[in-house]
Amino acid sequence: MKVLETTDLEQKFQDKIDREVKIEPNDWMPDAYRKTLIRQMSQHAHSEIVGMLPEANWITRAPNLRRKAVLLAKVQDEAGHGLYLYSATETLGADREATIDDLHSGKAKYSSIFNYPALSWADIGAIGWLVDGAAIMNQVALCRCSYGPYARAMVKICKEESFHQRQGYESLTKLAQGTPEQKELAQDALNRFWWPSLMMFGPNDDESPNSAQSMKWKIKRLSNDDLRQNFIDATVPQAELIGLKVPDENLKWNEETGHYDFTPINWDEFWQVVNGNGPCNKQRVDARRKAKEEGMWVREAALAFAEKRKKKQTA
Amino acid sequence: MKNEALFRYLLRLGDDSLILGQRLAEWCGHGPILEEDIAMTNISLDLIGQAMSLLDYAGVIEGKDRNCDKLGLLRYEKEYVNVLLVEQPNGDFGDTIMRQFLFDAFRKPLYERLVNSSDKQLAAIADKSLKETRYHLKHSSEWVIRLGDGTEESHERVQNSLDTLWRYADELFYTDEVEAKLTVEGILPDLSGIKAEWESTVKYVFSEATLEIPVNNWKFEGGRKGRHSEHFGHLLSELQYMQRAYPNMEW
Amino acid sequence: MSTKEWPLWEVFIRSKQGLNHKHVGSLRAADSTMALDNARDVYTRRSEGISIWVVESNYVHANDPADADAYFEPSDTKIFRHPTFYEVHEGIKHM
């Protein structure tokens, strides 16, 4: 039997990807593919979990009980999605606890949108509409990702998330059509969340060095700029429909391209926030670390109890 | 008002659910592990759903055009009639689970009786809530046992939780002319066996958990009469924030 | 400063009476009771199921994908195991 050289294996692997055959956990894969996936999937999982915090901040203050229940269910979904994604990451041999430790030490990143504060009730609507809207753009594309467990998790997540964006838009619509105070809350939320939402798609394509390889591996199916443009094209009419103004003086429909033109993004702000200088970076990671530390005795107790009972049974 | 005693009784049930649901919601995003974060949110959601049904119905009985939001989010502090137990702060996970267990062990036999109420609406709410509560009790008892019979540290912590919360448990069985009147009217079935059932549940679970029932028999009460603990005003300041800051608006 | 993690469990759900349990994902739990509770809270929030199985992931054994050819390809050539392999007269009923 001929021993396959790594390059042969890599060629076979790429062939599979090109034929749209999904890669499953125990299949051979290049180290770099595994590493890229672990990085991207754990970042994605962390984003779900850290993303719970700005919204959870408003659960106890929701304006009525229906909204409180909806928000609870939504934030709970984010916890579930984090869990699906950590589980999918574990299939690559990346243990959940170690992955989370990387978040807490600052080694791993998460979507920088969650480093912005949720200051008013309207922000909850804006987050659902814009942040979940942007996330869904990205996630729908990821449902066709080449790695089976990731693609399956994304399918499940997309199904569940379809209510998130709708409830956000519905909630903001109510404000936009409400009293002058409510309308002002809604406009202010849009002003603050618009640009950070556009940044969620990541750097421009020519500044995104890993993108080409990820596209080749079909981990990524659409480029950052394409996704961003799709999002803008979809969202601007939604804002207009409820009488809110997108905070971009240069925003204009371009007949020729069939897309909206917009002001270039302030990438300096983006990198500052990514690298720790967002308004809430420290607060978010501290909250997660605290939850883990304060839960340690609980997790230990449950394990100790399970072991005791096992012994009792076998005794 | 159609029936003042029924209105007041529904507020008692509704406020217990609402305030405990609100407390549990504070955990969202901060649970000891992801799976349990999700579990606590589920319980919170059930309780808030129960509160909505109970308070909406209370509003109907009252007949003054108040729904669950007006009743739930716009009364003054002394008009809330939840027991003191449910408003106690979350503390650590052991405190939260112990508070939940003492409450669930009461709520389950209560709902088991209320499903037989001659008031169809109350019976229907109890029927739906009973299924939820059975699960809550299963969940909280399992955790009390795990923590009690887990490590030395968890045993000590949850024993402390029990020592602190025990004094609030008796108020769960508070009754006055409200229950008396509704019993005469046949709206409330015989509730007398609840305490014995509660005692047998807690005794069993605490013995499995190797926990000692406190010898301190001092009992706190006041919530049912609108006299709350210091914590309660802060809870309301969050619960009512939007309704107070932006009055008379639709959300 | 990580402590020992709770074991990983695979979750299988029967979505309705008459169907198989189907793998839906995994989770962490200290024991089987907790694994069932957690599976209920994590995987059946939208009425996805009426019955749950959990299996500790350690106890799931899988074939080596490197042997996939030897395992599965030999059956590809046994097309006579499929009814479409056989020709019957047109108009024959109940077959």
Side-chain angles (χ1 to χ4, degrees), chain C residues 70-83 85-86:
Chain C
Y71 257 73
F72 307 113
E73 276 182 25
S75 77
D76 289 352
T77 53
K78 317 285 194 296
I79 49 176
F80 41 81
R81 287 197 175 115
H82 300 278
F85 178 75
Y86 303 93

Side-chain angles (χ1 to χ4, degrees), chain B residues 151 171 213 220 228:
Chain B
T151 60
E171 196 186 6
I213 291 182
F220 287 138
H228 293 276

